[in-house]
Amino acid sequence: LPVREKAGQGLLRIADKLSMDQLNEIVVDLTRELETGQEEVSRYIPRYLGPLLCRLPHKELEESLTFLEDFVRTTSISSARAALLTLGVVLSELLRTGRGGDSLASHVQGLLLTGVAHFDSTIHQSALAVLCRDVLANEALPLDVRQNCFVRTGKKLLTLLSEPRPDPLAFFTHASNLNPLYRFLIGCQVDLGPFPFPEPRPAAFFPGTFDPFSQGHKRIVEEIHALGFDVYLAIDEFSWSKRTLPRLQRRQIASMSTADQLDVYVFPDEVPVNIAMPDDLKALSALFPGPEL
């Protein structure tokens, strides 16, 4: 362990003296090491891989983030956890340095939220811990920077945590990970005042069976979102024309597929609605005051 830590610290010390090709080669080797599944090795890589990634040019950084996204979406728990830890370090570095602006930070936040939406309980817990403990509760980052980060992700995080999970210990793991988040929220309110949440945008409802949610569906969602709407996916109970997957499974696929889209939500089951009925639309208008439906 001391050898690994000294090696990692040495890489960070010489990183600024390396050419971009040399640095990119080191990053590629470390990233591939996350894929081996040897947790006794990969668990120590993120703290050094994250800062090295943030030194890459934008194109190479985006390619590395795509590589890490594949790990997050996989079923390999060790690879996914290592990738999530790396993304947490990358996000902290981006927030600390301001590199890439809000767009790049939002991209990394979306990848962490993809982990929060993951169907595997261990990956879900790991992503939630990274986002709450390693980023939002990271006192090494300025409080106002973390506040802006929460303003972008708070509503999405809340909706993802509201999704039903079969894990009987989900309540306790959520409570453990949300404790540092709660303390961060109290600190923000005491030191900075109310959260500067933006005005709500117009709401667009996208109904369908989504059997399953596909890249085509996601492209439609992105186009609607680009028009200035918050998008709510209304997943039908069943289809008269075909045999569909179980509804909760379709809901979970849609939730994970759109987790990286910060203004896209799966509409809650607690609010039954038929958007073809005028009375239901009036009820929705009461839920979404201000924007036009």
Side-chain angles (χ1 to χ4, degrees):
L1 176 57
V3 173
R4 291 171 184 159
E5 290 182 340
K6 288 291 185 182
Q9 294 166 4
L11 284 175
L12 294 181
R13 284 197 299 270
I14 67 172
D16 293 332
K17 302 181 183 298
L18 299 175
S19 68
M20 282 302 156
D21 288 340
Q22 292 172 324
L23 184 61
N24 189 53
E25 185 175 350
I26 292 173
V27 166
V28 169
D29 286 341
L30 290 177
T31 304
R32 287 177 176 169
E33 191 64 35
L34 301 180
E35 196 175 10
T36 62
Q38 300 180 15
E39 191 170 0
E40 65 275 11
V41 176
S42 61
R43 63 190 292 189
Y44 301 105
I45 292 177
R47 71 184 73 170
Y48 308 113
L49 177 57
L52 293 175
L53 280 170
C54 292
R55 287 176 165 84
L56 292 176
H58 185 80
K59 179 176 179 294
E60 284 75 10
L61 176 57
E62 287 286 356
E63 291 175 352
S64 298
L65 292 179
T66 301
F67 205 62
L68 292 175
E69 181 180 2
D70 292 338
F71 290 165
V72 173
R73 295 184 183 277
T74 187
T75 56
S76 172
I77 295 177
S78 58
S79 298
R81 291 181 64 182
L84 290 167
L85 289 171
T86 304
L87 290 170
V89 177
V90 170
L91 180 55
S92 297
E93 284 290 311
L94 293 177
L95 294 175
R96 182 179 64 83
T97 61
R99 187 198 165 186
D102 290 342
S103 61
L104 190 56
S106 295
H107 182 195
V108 180
Q109 290 173 44
L111 297 181
L112 288 174
L113 289 169
T114 300
V116 175
H118 204 285
F119 58 86
D120 184 272
S121 296
T122 303
I123 297 175
H124 162 75
Q125 295 164 17
S126 299
L128 185 60
V130 169
L131 186 58
C132 294
R133 297 173 184 270
D134 300 346
V135 179
L136 295 176
N138 184 357
E139 296 185 356
L141 297 175
L143 187 59
D144 60 329
V145 172
R146 289 181 282 148
Q147 183 191 58
N148 291 333
C149 178
F150 179 78
V151 166
R152 289 196 296 268
T153 61
K155 182 177 178 180
K156 187 73 175 184
L157 180 61
L158 177 63
T159 57
L160 291 177
L161 292 178
S162 300
E163 291 296 307
R165 288 194 164 268
D167 183 6
L169 298 178
F171 171 82
F172 300 102
T173 56
H174 286 171
S176 174
N177 289 320
L178 292 177
N179 181 47
L181 177 62
Y182 174 75
R183 288 188 278 110
F184 153 72
L185 295 177
I186 295 298
C188 283
Q189 289 183 319
V190 171
D191 295 338
L192 302 178
F195 282 85
F197 290 109
E199 289 294 324
R201 307 195 321 165
F205 287 83
F206 183 12
T209 53
F210 303 117
D211 185 37
F213 192 88
S214 65
Q215 286 293 332
H217 292 133
K218 187 170 184 177
R219 182 61 180 164
I220 294 173
V221 168
E222 291 172 349
E223 290 293 331
I224 298 173
H225 179 262
L227 295 175
F229 291 90
D230 284 354
V231 184
Y232 293 84
L233 302 176
I235 301 177
D236 295 339
E237 289 282 355
F238 61 91
S239 171
W240 292 104
S241 60
K242 58 182 178 179
R243 291 185 176 180
T244 61
L245 293 171
R247 183 174 182 276
L248 287 180
Q249 188 173 353
R250 289 184 281 124
R251 185 180 179 88
Q252 194 170 53
I253 293 173
S255 178
M256 187 173 175
S257 299
T258 59
D260 58 339
Q261 305 291 316
L262 297 184
D263 297 315
V264 180
Y265 313 95
V266 178
F267 197 75
D269 285 336
E270 293 79 9
V271 186
V273 61
N274 182 350
I275 63 173
M277 303 296 292
D279 289 342
D280 282 13
L281 287 179
K282 290 180 181 179
L284 286 176
S285 298
L287 289 174
F288 299 94
E292 295 181 358
L293 289 174

